[in-house]
Coordinates of all heavy atoms in Angstrom, one line a residue:
P809 N -30.2 26.2 6.9 CA -30.6 25.0 6.2 C -31.5 24.1 7.0 O -31.6 24.3 8.1 CB -29.2 24.4 5.9 CG -28.5 24.7 7.0 CD -28.9 26.1 7.4
K810 N -31.9 23.1 6.3 CA -32.7 22.0 7.0 C -31.7 21.2 7.8 O -30.7 20.8 7.3 CB -33.4 21.0 6.1 CG -34.5 21.7 5.3 CD -35.6 22.1 6.4 CE -36.8 22.8 5.6 NZ -37.7 23.4 6.5
L811 N -31.9 21.0 9.0 CA -30.9 20.4 10.0 C -31.3 18.9 10.4 O -30.6 18.4 11.0 CB -30.9 21.2 11.3 CG -30.5 22.7 11.1 CD1 -30.4 23.4 12.5 CD2 -29.1 22.7 10.6
A812 N -32.5 18.4 10.0 CA -32.9 17.1 10.2 C -31.8 16.0 10.0 O -31.6 15.2 10.8 CB -34.2 16.7 9.5
P813 N -31.1 16.2 8.8 CA -30.1 15.1 8.6 C -28.9 15.1 9.6 O -28.2 14.1 9.7 CB -29.5 15.3 7.2 CG -30.5 16.2 6.7 CD -31.3 17.0 7.7
Y814 N -28.7 16.1 10.5 CA -27.7 16.2 11.4 C -27.9 16.0 12.8 O -27.2 16.0 13.7 CB -27.0 17.6 11.1 CG -26.7 17.8 9.7 CD1 -27.6 18.6 8.9 CD2 -25.7 17.2 9.1 CE1 -27.3 18.9 7.5 CE2 -25.4 17.5 7.7 CZ -26.2 18.3 6.9 OH -26.0 18.6 5.7
I815 N -29.4 16.0 13.1 CA -29.7 16.0 14.6 C -29.2 14.9 15.3 O -28.7 15.1 16.3 CB -31.3 16.0 14.6 CG1 -31.8 17.3 14.0 CG2 -31.8 15.7 16.0 CD1 -31.6 18.6 14.7
E816 N -29.1 13.7 14.7 CA -28.7 12.4 15.6 C -27.1 12.7 15.9 O -26.7 12.3 17.0 CB -28.9 11.2 14.6 CG -28.4 9.9 15.5 CD -29.0 9.7 16.8 OE1 -30.2 10.0 17.0 OE2 -28.2 9.3 17.7
Q817 N -26.4 13.1 14.9 CA -24.8 13.3 15.3 C -24.7 14.5 16.3 O -24.0 14.3 17.2 CB -24.1 13.7 13.9 CG -22.7 13.8 14.2 CD -22.1 12.4 14.9 OE1 -22.3 11.4 14.2 NE2 -21.4 12.5 15.9
M818 N -25.5 15.5 16.3 CA -25.5 16.6 17.2 C -25.8 16.0 18.6 O -25.0 16.2 19.6 CB -26.5 17.6 16.9 CG -26.3 18.4 15.6 SD -27.6 19.7 15.4 CE -27.2 20.3 13.8
A819 N -26.8 15.3 18.7 CA -27.2 14.7 20.1 C -26.2 13.7 20.5 O -25.8 13.8 21.6 CB -28.6 14.0 19.9
A820 N -25.6 12.9 19.6 CA -24.5 11.9 20.0 C -23.3 12.7 20.5 O -22.6 12.3 21.4 CB -24.2 11.1 18.9
N821 N -22.9 13.8 19.8 CA -21.8 14.6 20.2 C -21.9 15.2 21.7 O -21.0 15.2 22.5 CB -21.5 15.8 19.3 CG -20.9 15.3 18.0 OD1 -20.7 14.2 17.8 ND2 -20.9 16.3 16.9
I822 N -23.2 15.7 21.9 CA -23.5 16.3 23.2 C -23.4 15.2 24.3 O -22.8 15.4 25.3 CB -24.8 17.0 23.2 CG1 -24.8 18.2 22.3 CG2 -25.3 17.3 24.7 CD1 -26.1 18.9 22.1
A823 N -24.1 14.1 24.1 CA -24.0 13.1 25.0 C -22.6 12.6 25.4 O -22.3 12.4 26.5 CB -24.9 11.8 24.5
R824 N -21.7 12.4 24.3 CA -20.5 12.0 24.6 C -19.7 13.1 25.4 O -19.0 12.6 26.4 CB -19.6 11.8 23.3 CG -18.3 11.3 23.4 CD -17.6 11.4 22.0 NE -17.3 12.8 21.6 CZ -17.8 13.3 20.5 NH1 -18.6 12.7 19.8 NH2 -17.6 14.6 20.3

Side-chain angles (χ1 to χ4, degrees):
K810 293 295 182 191
L811 300 177
Y814 309 100
I815 294 292
E816 180 55 39
Q817 186 59 55
M818 292 179 190
N821 288 350
I822 290 170
R824 182 188 68 243

